[in-house]
Amino acid sequence: GAVVSQHPSWVICKSGTSVKIECRSLDFQATTMFWYRQFPKQSLMLMATSNEGSKATYEQGVEKDKFLINHASLTLSTLTVTSAHPEDSSFYICSARLQFPYEQYFGPGTRLTVT
Amino acid sequence: GENVEQHPSTLSVQEGDSAVIKCTYSDSASNYFPWYKQELGKGPQLIIDIRSNVGEKKDQRIAVTLNKTAKHFSLHITETQPEDSAVYFCAPFGNEKLTFGTGTRLTIIP
């Protein structure tokens, strides 16, 4: 299957600071990328969908000014958590979709801890 | 939006036995039905998928069956092995996105 990487795999930051997470599709071009959030022992919740060169579409309840998404190229998307707070601590997972036929591959995830 | 339910939430089976996980969904327009396996601390891994024009698909020990009329699809794992222990998610595709089920924690007892 296709490979998606994420960096960093884990990060600890202080409350009030910003953190950037990178997501790359290594062996394919992804016109659409997704960002998910997963709390312990829970399912994945979609935060936003981004298409290369366009503004991201955020799910209801997700603050677009807090979670900045940039999809600058067909292989790179970034998520920036701005002014992080302890409640933002979570497992963030990116995903990239083949243009057709819908197969979607996930990165290894980034564990964010805000102290 | 899509309402997805997955059963059971936990499942323990003896090594070598079979495991079946069922997923029901609400959106009749859903047309792509993947199953993902997630190990602790890792991202989900696509293990098998099926499209709406097919009733069953098999890949070695793993199979997926789809009943579009009843709006459910199931994951079947035969000859289970310890490395099959993980959390499994169904994620039907509809309205341009995957909607994840609540997950099933599968434990294989040696």
Side-chain angles (χ1 to χ4, degrees):
Chain A
V3 179
V4 178
S5 71
Q6 262 181 263
H7 179 80
S9 56
W10 59 270
V11 57
I12 301 173
C13 71
K14 292 190 175 181
S15 188
T17 62
S18 295
V19 174
K20 180 185 281 189
I21 303 170
E22 287 189 354
C23 175
R24 294 181 185 271
S25 56
L26 298 185
D27 51 1
F28 67 102
Q29 293 185 329
T31 53
T32 306
M33 286 187 167
F34 306 84
W35 286 95
Y36 293 81
R37 184 172 178 175
Q38 186 178 35
F39 290 107
K41 297 189 177 182
Q42 293 189 20
S43 187
L44 281 77
M45 296 302 296
L46 179 64
M47 298 176 66
T49 301
S50 73
N51 291 295
E52 185 258 343
S54 303
K55 288 186 177 179
T57 301
Y58 291 81
E59 294 297 300
Q60 194 170 10
V62 178
E63 300 176 57
K64 62 180 181 180
D65 294 330
K66 182 171 183 61
F67 299 99
L68 302 179
I69 292 171
N70 186 290
H71 192 161
S73 75
L74 289 172
T75 60
L76 173 65
S77 177
T78 59
L79 168 68
T80 301
V81 183
T82 63
S83 187
H85 289 97
E87 56 265 31
D88 298 324
S89 298
S90 189
F91 193 49
Y92 291 87
I93 311 170
C94 74
S95 178
R97 188 168 78 197
L98 296 175
Q99 191 166 10
F100 183 82
Y102 312 133
E103 291 172 9
Q104 194 167 320
Y105 296 91
F106 287 79
T110 296
R111 173 79 54 196
L112 170 63
T113 302
V114 184
T115 61
Chain B
E2 176 93 270
N3 184 30
V4 180
E5 293 186 2
Q6 204 174 317
H7 296 283
S9 57
T10 61
L11 179 61
S12 296
V13 300
Q14 208 73 36
E15 181 178 353
D17 288 350
S18 296
V20 181
I21 304 169
K22 184 176 179 179
C23 180
T24 60
Y25 60 95
S26 61
D27 187 355
S28 56
S30 294
N31 57 7
Y32 171 63
F33 307 92
W35 283 96
Y36 288 88
K37 175 184 180 182
Q38 186 178 30
E39 297 177 341
L40 191 62
K42 298 183 178 180
Q45 174 193 2
L46 178 65
I47 56 171
I48 198 165
D49 57 14
I50 195 168
R51 302 186 193 285
S52 58
N53 58 345
V54 178
E56 183 174 357
K57 181 178 178 181
K58 189 174 182 181
D59 183 4
Q60 298 182 351
R61 297 186 298 110
I62 296 173
V64 54
T65 57
L66 171 65
N67 185 328
K68 278 218 77 178
T69 303
K71 289 190 278 188
H72 65 74
F73 63 112
S74 298
L75 175 68
H76 305 255
I77 305 175
T78 59
E79 301 171 24
T80 53
Q81 300 169 2
E83 52 265 36
D84 294 329
S85 293
V87 179
Y88 292 81
F89 291 98
C90 64
F93 179 85
N95 196 25
E96 295 298 315
K97 63 183 179 182
L98 300 175
T99 300
F100 278 78
T102 48
T104 296
R105 181 171 299 278
L106 175 63
T107 302
I108 306 302
I109 305 166

